[in-house]
Amino acid sequence: MHRGGKIDVRPTVDVPDRAALAMAYTPGVARVCSAIADQPELASEYTWTGNTVAVVSDGTAVLGLGDIGPAAAMPVMEGKALLFKRFAGINAVPVCIACTDVDEVVRTVAALAPSFGGINLEDISAPRCFEIEDRLRAMLDIPVFHDDQHGTAIVTLAALRGAARVVGKGLGDLRVVVCGAGASGIAVSKILLSAGVGDIAVADSKGLIYDGRDGLNPVKAALAKVTNAAGLAGSPEAALRGADVFIGLSGSTLAEEAIARMAPGAIAFLLSNPDPEIHPDVARRHVAVVATGRSDFPNQINNSLAFPGVFRAALDVRASTVTERMKLAAADAIAALVGGDAAPDYVIPSQFDERVAPAVAAAVAAAARADGVARR
């Protein structure tokens, strides 16, 4: 599967003779160059940038493997590029960079940006990833999307809508405990708040985050002000007593007794890979709905349900950025495909459901136009 890599570059036009060569390359290409020099927006129509994204990583937070460096990150970035093409027909180029300083990463990606129609940031460690994304979004007029944050958040919200339907609870009635305050944990918490989830308590490696806790970085401090309304302290296990939802994004372990103390009709999303906080079969003894990040259990929460459709829409409408409304629209579109068919083992579509990417793209494109970020 992996020998020689998983992607390739192929021409889109034939060059069978000298006349075709003169059109595709010099001298014919000069006319296109001159037109783009006069009207830079033509680049998206007359070059591959209109359908191409860069998948950029510095290799500091690769899957569950951690900081393994850019060379070792390449198989994952190739895989991401493969999924872009398979599910949305988008060209994607893996770009693994040998720098980790925030300023240098931002400069490098910004310098590469004219070659692409969008930037998909991947496997960059927190909290650096937040500043890198924010600065690039401010600098560039193309979509910059950190998939570990936003792709995970979109699909988690979509799955939670389906799971809440199964257990007969509204999002506003749910008390959620999120274990893990890295890129994905913080993004999931933010999108759930935006969607109207009632209360969220977030835990990092030192315990529950609350307003005023010592040692919080600026991102966690901001999150503390809008979560954990009860001011709970201590371990996430303690917060699970009577909770409706557990979302695991930490790679830690969770005792069976903690899951057993959750509210009736509870939901457990065990998303750490490759080993979740508690085995799904054990969790299923105590909760009504279990989802994982793995392909060998039902209800796989997989980012490939989100990012292909999000970028398909962003490229098609030439969006200048990805807004919060666009992310919420993506989650709603995924959830709507399940709709009234939701069941304990079916709260989220399969990533091989051919309806997903078109539905997400249509919803995200409409949201981009509503937010005024669509240029076509």
Side-chain angles (χ1 to χ4, degrees):
M1 175 69 78
H2 297 271
R3 189 179 299 277
K6 300 182 288 295
I7 57 173
D8 200 357
V9 175
R10 299 178 185 274
T12 61
V13 297
D14 191 21
V15 185
D17 51 36
R18 289 169 62 89
L21 179 62
M23 184 69 75
Y25 196 51
T26 186
V29 74
R31 295 174 61 189
V32 182
C33 296
S34 297
I36 293 171
D38 291 337
Q39 300 179 65
E41 66 274 12
L42 292 178
S44 63
E45 183 175 353
Y46 288 100
T47 74
W48 84 334
T49 59
N51 193 46
T52 304
V53 302
V55 181
V56 180
S57 179
D58 63 2
T60 55
V62 180
L63 295 178
L65 304 174
D67 186 354
I68 59 174
M74 181 58 80
V76 179
M77 303 312 123
E78 283 186 356
K80 201 77 169 194
L82 174 66
L83 297 181
F84 267 111
K85 193 67 171 182
R86 165 64 177 80
F87 293 117
I90 294 171
N91 301 317
V93 179
V95 180
C96 293
I97 55 178
C99 57
T100 58
D101 174 75
V102 169
D103 290 339
E104 192 173 0
V105 170
V106 170
R107 282 196 302 269
T108 301
V109 177
L112 292 168
S115 296
F116 303 99
I119 305 293
N120 184 96
L121 300 174
E122 192 78 23
D123 292 350
I124 298 173
S125 63
R128 300 161 51 256
C129 60
F130 303 115
E131 182 180 355
I132 289 170
E133 184 190 37
D134 288 346
R135 287 174 57 181
L136 286 170
R137 289 184 65 187
M139 292 172 67
L140 303 178
D141 67 346
I142 58 175
V144 178
F145 186 87
H146 184 205
D147 190 51
D148 300 310
Q149 292 185 61
H150 310 303
T152 304
I154 288 166
V155 183
T156 300
L157 172 57
L160 187 58
R161 288 195 181 281
R165 180 187 290 267
V166 170
V167 301
K169 299 179 182 180
L171 292 188
D173 301 323
L174 299 178
R175 185 166 74 82
V176 178
V177 177
V178 177
C179 189
S184 56
I186 289 174
V188 164
S189 301
K190 287 181 176 179
I191 201 170
L192 295 187
L193 288 171
S194 297
V197 166
D199 184 37
I200 301 176
V202 184
D204 62 10
S205 60
K206 297 179 181 178
L208 291 166
I209 294 172
Y210 55 89
D211 194 16
R213 200 190 88 178
D214 291 339
L216 295 178
N217 64 42
V219 175
K220 292 180 183 179
L223 186 66
K225 293 185 180 299
V226 294
T227 58
N228 196 357
L232 301 174
S235 69
E237 288 86 352
L240 278 176
R241 185 180 296 276
D244 300 289
V245 182
F246 171 75
I247 299 176
L249 289 157
S250 66
S252 61
T253 57
L254 184 69
E256 182 175 355
E257 310 88 77
I259 288 285
R261 291 194 293 264
M262 294 180 69
I267 299 162
F269 287 179
L270 312 172
L271 307 185
S272 295
N273 270 316
D275 298 313
E277 286 78 2
I278 186 171
H279 195 280
D281 291 339
V282 175
R284 199 171 283 111
R285 299 171 191 162
H286 305 285
V287 303
V289 178
V290 174
T292 74
R294 295 168 47 149
S295 59
D296 52 349
F297 290 96
N299 295 327
Q300 184 186 15
I301 295 179
N302 189 299
N303 288 16
S304 64
L305 288 164
F307 69 81
V310 169
F311 270 97
R312 180 72 278 155
L315 293 170
D316 287 348
V317 304
R318 301 293 183 258
S320 58
T321 189
V322 176
T323 66
E324 292 304 310
R325 191 198 305 234
M326 292 163 71
K327 298 171 198 172
L328 290 170
D332 290 347
I334 296 168
L337 295 175
V338 174
D341 295 328
D345 283 349
Y346 181 56
V347 300
I348 194 80
S350 163
Q351 59 266 46
F352 293 101
D353 185 332
E354 298 294 339
R355 302 173 299 163
V356 173
V360 170
V364 172
R369 293 187 181 100
D371 278 345
V373 299
R375 291 173 287 193
R376 189 171 76 179

